[in-house]
Amino acid sequence: MTENKKSPEYVADASDFIARYLSYMLGAGVHTSRVVRNSKRIGAALGLDVSIHISQKTATLTVCQKESRIMNTRVLDIPPFPISFEWNADLSALSWASLDQNLTLEEIRSRFDRLVSKPGMNPVFVLFMVSLANASFCRLFGGDIWAMLVTFTATMIGFFIRQHLMKNKVNHYIVFIVSAFVASICASTALTLGLGTAEIALATSVLYLVPGVPLINGLIDITDGHIQIGISRLVNAFMLIVCIAIGLSVTLMMVKDSLL
């Protein structure tokens, strides 16, 4: 069926889809400039002008039909999806495909639904790889094989706790404090065992919590001129770092005699 791109229904339907596309990209941790470019690219493929304003938790989207000047505005909440580089790549590729292949709105929507419905990585696999990465950091900073083993185990326990707290929708600040405490208190067993590089195991056990993506996105947003959302992301990242420090500090106060 041929789409009537000048009808109010078409503009409203396209606005709903672009709003959904926008919310998924922002929720998955994509930096603002890419989200805006991709959304505008899809709008151009559909014969529409797209204007976007983004804040920390909400976004305002205005879609305008170029010829008839029919306009539609949406205010949407940004969902707290897990950070997904796969969605980042796939949804960006979809925006190019919509323009290069002259896809219809239904075709774009169908491809989008297939992309976002793909199963994510196995949580057990993620748990193992994150633990292995932290153990590698321990080795990189000079830890011996026993310190690496302690770091691997402590990270696995801490990340397991984090996965389950997030699954139960616990406040993410509390999640970071508890996860940092659990991982570091488990890593403190290296002090009890008298390992020569116990301090390195203790310090690297919480590195999996460092909010690298929000920090990078915040800096990118500020340099690209999206000052408000950039500062918001940096403040949020700073708060998460403070939470990590609180959890680690509790452990340090408990084992301070072993460190001296």
Side-chain angles (χ1 to χ4, degrees):
M1 184 177 65
T2 304
E3 295 174 324
N4 180 8
K5 295 187 177 182
K6 295 183 180 180
S7 68
E9 293 78 11
Y10 174 81
V11 177
D13 200 18
S15 299
D16 288 336
F17 170 73
I18 296 174
R20 187 177 174 218
Y21 175 90
L22 176 74
S23 66
Y24 270 68
M25 290 210 76
L26 286 170
V30 183
H31 66 84
T32 305
S33 295
R34 171 169 285 191
V35 175
V36 172
R37 287 197 304 269
N38 290 350
S39 301
K40 286 180 177 288
R41 192 177 296 125
I42 289 180
L46 299 175
L48 303 168
D49 283 329
V50 175
S51 299
I52 301 169
H53 173 74
I54 299 172
S55 61
Q56 177 67 14
K57 289 185 174 293
T58 61
T60 303
L61 168 74
T62 299
V63 176
C64 176
Q65 212 289 327
K66 295 179 181 179
E67 298 177 7
S68 63
R69 308 306 295 172
I70 298 171
M71 300 182 67
N72 231 290
T73 298
R74 300 282 187 277
V75 178
L76 52 137
D77 293 325
I78 299 173
F81 293 125
I83 292 171
S84 174
F85 296 104
E86 187 175 9
W87 278 8
N88 188 340
D90 288 346
L91 296 181
S92 294
L94 176 62
S95 70
W96 281 110
S98 66
L99 188 63
D100 295 339
Q101 301 174 24
N102 197 27
L103 301 177
T104 65
L105 176 58
E106 285 306 314
E107 290 171 334
I108 299 172
R109 197 197 322 265
S110 177
R111 293 193 184 190
F112 175 85
D113 289 336
R114 287 199 301 270
L115 290 175
V116 299
S117 62
K118 290 193 301 184
M121 287 187 180
N122 187 305
V124 176
F125 174 75
V126 175
L127 178 63
F128 176 80
M129 294 305 296
V130 169
S131 303
L132 184 61
N134 250 20
S136 300
F137 275 120
C138 178
R139 177 58 182 165
L140 184 65
F141 294 131
D144 58 26
I145 187 65
W146 299 109
M148 289 176 63
L149 182 60
V150 169
T151 301
F152 180 90
T153 306
T155 302
M156 183 169 285
I157 296 171
F159 194 78
F160 179 80
I161 296 295
R162 179 175 182 262
Q163 285 179 323
H164 280 266
L165 290 176
M166 292 180 65
K167 185 178 180 180
N168 290 305
K169 303 186 185 303
V170 176
N171 180 279
H172 64 292
Y173 294 125
I174 296 176
V175 171
F176 269 63
I177 293 173
V178 173
S179 300
F181 170 72
V182 170
S184 58
I185 199 68
C186 291
S188 68
T189 57
L191 295 169
T192 305
L193 296 172
L195 300 183
T197 55
E199 295 84 356
I200 296 174
L202 184 60
T204 55
S205 65
V206 298
L207 289 182
Y208 71 96
L209 291 168
V210 174
V213 172
L215 286 169
I216 294 171
N217 283 347
L219 291 174
I220 292 174
D221 288 343
I222 290 175
T223 56
D224 284 342
H226 300 282
I227 306 299
Q228 181 182 6
I229 181 65
I231 292 176
S232 297
R233 281 175 161 167
L234 288 179
V235 169
N236 182 59
F238 173 75
M239 291 295 295
L240 295 177
I241 292 171
V242 170
C243 291
I244 297 170
I246 291 172
L248 184 57
S249 297
V250 174
T251 296
L252 293 176
M253 286 189 291
M254 294 174 64
V255 302
K256 59 183 179 180
D257 293 336
S258 299
L259 287 170
L260 298 176

